Amino acid sequence: MKKLKILSLTALTVSVLVGCFPKASEVIRALPVESKEQILAQYNSEQIAEGKVLFTNNCGKCHDLKQPETRNPEQWNRIVKRMIPKAKLNDRDGQLVRAYLIVNAKEN
Ligand code: HEC
């Protein structure tokens, strides 16, 4: 009986914690499709440079680094929504990587 109580308490705690901290992917997934100009209006060059470092350190673990100029902004908008959760980046870092990729993307 006691074991059951502990077990259900644990389950309750876990579900509350999960509910309170939405997954990184939810915030990233909700971001609108943005152009280079829209990104440049929101991020400064330091943030873009930090995005590059985060990209280099986190995006080449499972495959070669897919360089920004191999995709256009629209493609990156879509792809990062899948890859940022894979790279386990938090919302802030994920958005910086996204900004770096979109700003340096090839033209459409
Ligand atoms: C945990 C492993 C993992 C990590 C970390 C990872 N990827 Fe991927 N990536 C994959 C796999 C698996 C595929 C192929 C399947 C797919 O497209 O979903 C892929 C495919 C891709 C593609 C090709 C998709 C397309 O539609 O053209 C790009 C571009 C890409 N990744 C970029 C990134 C970037 C940028 C990061 C860092 C934020 C990253 N990946 C981190 C596993 C990973």
Side-chain angles (χ1 to χ4, degrees):
M1 234 4 229
K2 201 171 177 196
K3 246 189 187 160
L4 200 71
K5 211 171 173 182
I6 291 172
L7 212 73
S8 53
L9 260 178
T10 311
L12 188 72
T13 312
V14 169
S15 62
V16 167
L17 282 178
V18 169
C20 289
F21 298 99
K23 282 181 284 173
S25 53
E26 280 176 39
V27 173
I28 299 293
R29 234 186 286 134
L31 291 169
V33 174
E34 291 181 312
S35 66
K36 283 187 196 193
E37 291 69 30
Q38 286 170 311
I39 294 291
L40 285 169
Q42 298 170 66
Y43 298 88
N44 62 33
S45 55
E46 263 170 50
Q47 290 172 305
I48 304 282
E50 195 183 338
K52 179 178 183 170
V53 174
L54 288 163
F55 164 75
T56 309
N57 292 339
N58 294 286
C59 297
K61 290 179 181 164
C62 305
H63 44 64
D64 290 347
L65 274 178
K66 313 264 188 200
Q67 292 303 328
E69 58 277 6
T70 60
R71 304 287 190 288
N72 66 30
E74 205 189 315
Q75 289 171 311
W76 279 125
N77 268 287
R78 180 171 43 81
I79 295 166
V80 291
K81 296 191 181 194
R82 281 207 324 273
M83 293 300 144
I84 287 170
K86 275 195 198 291
K88 299 195 165 55
L89 292 169
N90 63 31
D91 295 343
R92 176 191 169 276
D93 291 356
Q95 288 182 66
L96 294 181
V97 170
R98 172 177 171 273
Y100 164 72
L101 291 169
I102 294 173
V103 164
N104 293 286
K106 69 175 178 190
E107 301 301 327
N108 278 308

